[in-house]
Amino acid sequence: MLALLAWAAHSLSAQTLTVDVVGDVLKIRVSGFNFLQGDPLARLKDGRSVHVELAAFALAGPGKPPTATARRGFALSYDLWEERFAVTTMDTRSQSASHLSLAAAEAWCVEQLAIPVSALGALGRD
């Protein structure tokens, strides 16, 4: 079981979660995961940056503690002229993407969360 947590001011819409094993990590994709809305989106469109932290947890089952966690921080900005978003990770493995639509910026952030299969222990063998 995989849980995705976003610290957002508004409730989240219906989501579809896809998890793939790519090499030695679990890669996560979520459609319908909209965490840039309300005040954070208004701040971006007002020309200010927004910092977001996302976390993904691998759980052995409902109510069980996390077996593995992936957590990353992101700095987002909005180009007022082009009406596109830019995202940069805020850690030692700095990555960035620009000229993104809102949905693409949100998806890019989630895709940067990766859980090593080795961190799953016995769950990783199943």
Side-chain angles (χ1 to χ4, degrees):
M1 175 182 279
L2 193 67
L4 186 66
L5 171 72
W7 190 259
H10 298 278
S11 62
L12 305 176
S13 62
Q15 305 164 17
T16 302
L17 176 72
T18 303
V19 179
D20 294 312
V21 177
V22 178
D24 60 347
V25 297
L26 294 179
K27 295 295 262 181
I28 303 160
R29 284 181 283 138
V30 180
S31 64
F33 183 61
N34 307 109
F35 57 89
L36 289 174
Q37 47 189 310
D39 290 338
L41 183 57
R43 287 179 56 103
L44 285 165
K45 291 192 172 185
D46 194 32
R48 296 182 281 172
S49 65
V50 171
H51 295 244
V52 174
E53 184 173 336
L54 298 178
F57 303 93
L59 309 173
K64 302 281 185 178
T67 303
T69 303
R71 188 179 311 260
R72 293 193 86 179
F74 303 91
L76 293 104
S77 61
Y78 183 72
D79 186 313
L80 298 170
W81 293 105
E82 293 186 22
E83 298 182 345
R84 292 296 199 188
F85 294 85
V87 186
T88 302
T89 58
M90 299 176 58
D91 54 27
T92 56
R93 299 179 300 142
S94 183
Q95 298 168 290
S96 62
S98 61
H99 300 88
L100 302 172
S101 67
L102 175 60
E106 291 171 325
W108 188 89
C109 290
V110 172
E111 290 169 6
Q112 302 316 301
L113 296 172
I115 297 176
V117 172
S118 62
L120 299 174
L123 289 178
R125 292 188 289 274
D126 295 338

